[in-house]
Amino acid sequence: MEEEIPVVICAAAGRMGAAIAAISSIYSNTEANVLFYIVGLKNTIPHIRKWIENSKLKEIKFKVVEFNPMVLKGKIRQDASRPELLQPLNFVRFYLPLLIQKHEKVIYLDDDIIVQGDIQELYETKLAPGHAAAFSDDCDLPSTHEMVRSVGMQNTYMGFLDYRKQAIRDLGISPSTCSFNPGVIVANMTEWKHQRLTKQLEKWMQRNVEENLYSSTLGGGVATSPMLIVFHGKYSAINPMWHIRHLGWSPDTRYSEHFLQEAKLLHWNGRYKPWDYPSVHTDLWENWFIPDPSGKFKLTRPDS
C-alpha cells in the first residue's frame, strides 16, 4: 500500500464551490493516494456529499467530518469589521489531532486555493526535529514583495498583535518579525499532541477575549494571531512556490502569467475571491471548478 496522504479542507456554507475547486485541482494533478478529510458544520454536510457523489469527483477517497462549533464557546471575540473571519471553520486548523486520528503527517489547506503541482511534493516537506508544523513565511518571496508594499499588506507580527498590550510585549517577540500564513500547513500530529498545541492555541484565544490582544488592523483574521504566538521560532519552511498568495488582496493587482504558471499552489487570501466578482486570475481557478449539480451554488460573474 502506498502511503495515504491526508488533506484537510473545510467546506463552508455560501462558498462550498471553493472546496470543490480545491479538491478537484489536487486530485487532477497527482497519482498519489490522497484521502480528503472534508470538514463542515452539520447543516452543510449533506450538500457537499451530494456535490461530490454526483460529479466527476465521485472517484475520490474522502471522509466527511462534522466540526462542532461548541468547542469555540467563550474563545472568540465578536469583531464586526470582517465577520466572515469568525466563521467556526476558520478555527478547524487548531484542532487537527482531534479530527484526524490515524495519521502522523497531515496537510491542511484553506478552501480558497488551487493546486497546480503534485500534492505528494508538498507532503514530503521536511519538518525539523521538534517542529509540529511547516508554514510559508511572509518574507520569503521577492516577487510578492512589491505587491505587499503596493497594497499595504501585513507581513510582520506588528500587523497581527497589539504591541501596546503588556501580555504581547512580555512574549519578547520583535514586532518586525516576519509573520507566516497558516492557509497551507504541513503538520506532524505526534509532535502537535506532545506539545499540547491545541491547548496553547485555546489559551491565547481565551486571553484575547479577555484582553483584546490582536491588532485592530487585522489583515489576516483572528485565526492567524494565536498561531503566530504559539509557533514562534518553532516551525519549518514550506517551499515558497507551494504557497503563492495574496491573489484575493486587490481586484487591481495582478501577477505575471509566467510566474503563476510556475506556481505549485495559488491562494486567494483577501476579500476578492475567485468565485465572486470582482477578482483577479479567476480563469486559473475556474479551470478546476465543477458546477453544483443541485444548482444552489452559483459563480458571481459580471454578466450573471
Side-chain angles (χ1 to χ4, degrees):
M1 265 298 283
E2 53 174 334
E3 192 179 359
E4 234 174 20
I5 298 181
V7 175
V8 178
I9 293 189
C10 294
R15 50 190 278 169
M16 213 161 276
I20 291 289
I23 291 166
S24 149
S25 71
I26 293 165
Y27 179 67
S28 307
N29 286 308
T30 188
E31 296 294 311
N33 178 17
V34 179
L35 172 60
F36 291 98
Y37 282 84
I38 301 168
V39 185
L41 302 178
K42 196 175 195 155
N43 55 351
T44 55
I45 285 174
H47 184 186
I48 194 88
R49 195 184 280 283
K50 249 195 200 101
W51 197 333
I52 289 169
E53 287 168 356
N54 293 300
S55 72
K56 61 182 183 196
L57 290 180
K58 58 178 176 287
E59 306 297 318
I60 69 169
K61 276 171 49 182
F62 73 102
K63 285 182 178 172
V64 175
V65 181
E66 183 191 330
F67 183 66
N68 181 354
M70 287 312 288
V71 299
L72 300 172
K73 203 168 161 44
K75 299 186 186 81
I76 303 182
R77 229 188 140 76
Q78 292 311 313
D79 170 26
S81 67
R82 284 191 68 187
E84 76 273 17
L85 296 173
L86 297 175
Q87 296 299 340
L89 293 177
N90 240 341
F91 300 94
V92 160
R93 66 197 99 197
F94 292 11
Y95 296 95
L96 293 175
L98 303 175
L99 298 166
I100 309 269
Q101 302 300 329
K102 61 181 173 91
H103 301 277
E104 168 81 359
K105 199 174 187 185
V106 173
I107 294 174
Y108 167 89
L109 299 172
D110 274 351
D111 63 352
D112 50 356
I113 62 109
I114 55 136
V115 169
Q116 304 186 126
D118 183 339
I119 198 79
Q120 175 92 39
E121 206 181 299
L122 180 62
Y123 185 71
E124 285 165 4
T125 300
K126 295 248 180 307
L127 298 183
H131 286 180
F135 305 100
S136 198
D137 228 310
D138 284 335
C139 300
D140 64 5
L141 257 197
S143 53
T144 63
H145 270 193
E146 280 316 302
M147 226 174 108
V148 168
R149 278 197 286 274
S150 70
V151 291
M153 220 156 347
Q154 308 298 350
N155 67 346
T156 63
Y157 271 55
M158 199 164 65
F160 294 91
L161 302 174
D162 184 349
Y163 275 84
R164 292 169 307 187
K165 300 284 162 61
Q166 195 58 45
I168 297 302
R169 291 204 299 269
D170 288 347
L171 291 165
I173 301 172
S174 157
S176 61
T177 305
C178 265
S179 49
F180 56 79
N181 183 304
V184 176
I185 309 174
V186 180
N188 177 315
M189 294 296 95
T190 309
E191 201 53 63
W192 191 297
K193 286 186 265 199
H194 175 66
Q195 296 181 29
R196 305 187 54 171
L197 294 175
T198 298
K199 276 273 166 285
Q200 291 189 50
L201 290 161
E202 287 188 323
K203 178 188 90 172
W204 283 103
M205 287 170 84
Q206 269 153 336
R207 286 198 68 175
N208 179 54
V209 170
E210 293 153 16
E211 303 170 49
N212 196 11
L213 300 174
Y214 308 160
S215 162
S216 53
T217 56
L218 263 192
V222 278
T224 303
S225 302
M227 295 193 92
L228 291 177
I229 295 173
V230 170
F231 286 96
H232 174 253
K234 289 196 297 231
Y235 64 91
S236 297
I238 286 174
N239 170 346
M241 295 312 275
W242 270 100
H243 195 174
I244 299 301
R245 49 199 178 279
H246 309 315
L247 276 77
W249 205 262
S250 149
D252 310 312
T253 321
R254 302 179 71 88
Y255 284 107
S256 86
E257 294 302 325
H258 173 71
F259 177 65
L260 291 179
Q261 273 155 8
E262 300 292 301
K264 308 283 192 177
L265 181 150
L266 303 176
H267 187 186
W268 279 261
N269 58 315
R271 291 170 192 257
Y272 300 96
K273 304 299 188 195
W275 52 91
D276 273 337
Y277 181 82
S279 55
V280 293
H281 303 300
T282 41
D283 50 324
L284 293 171
W285 182 85
E286 223 172 304
N287 278 340
W288 304 111
F289 175 69
I290 297 166
D292 181 359
S294 77
K296 280 188 218 149
F297 179 91
K298 292 184 177 63
L299 301 180
T300 311
R301 292 298 177 249
D303 45 9
S304 60

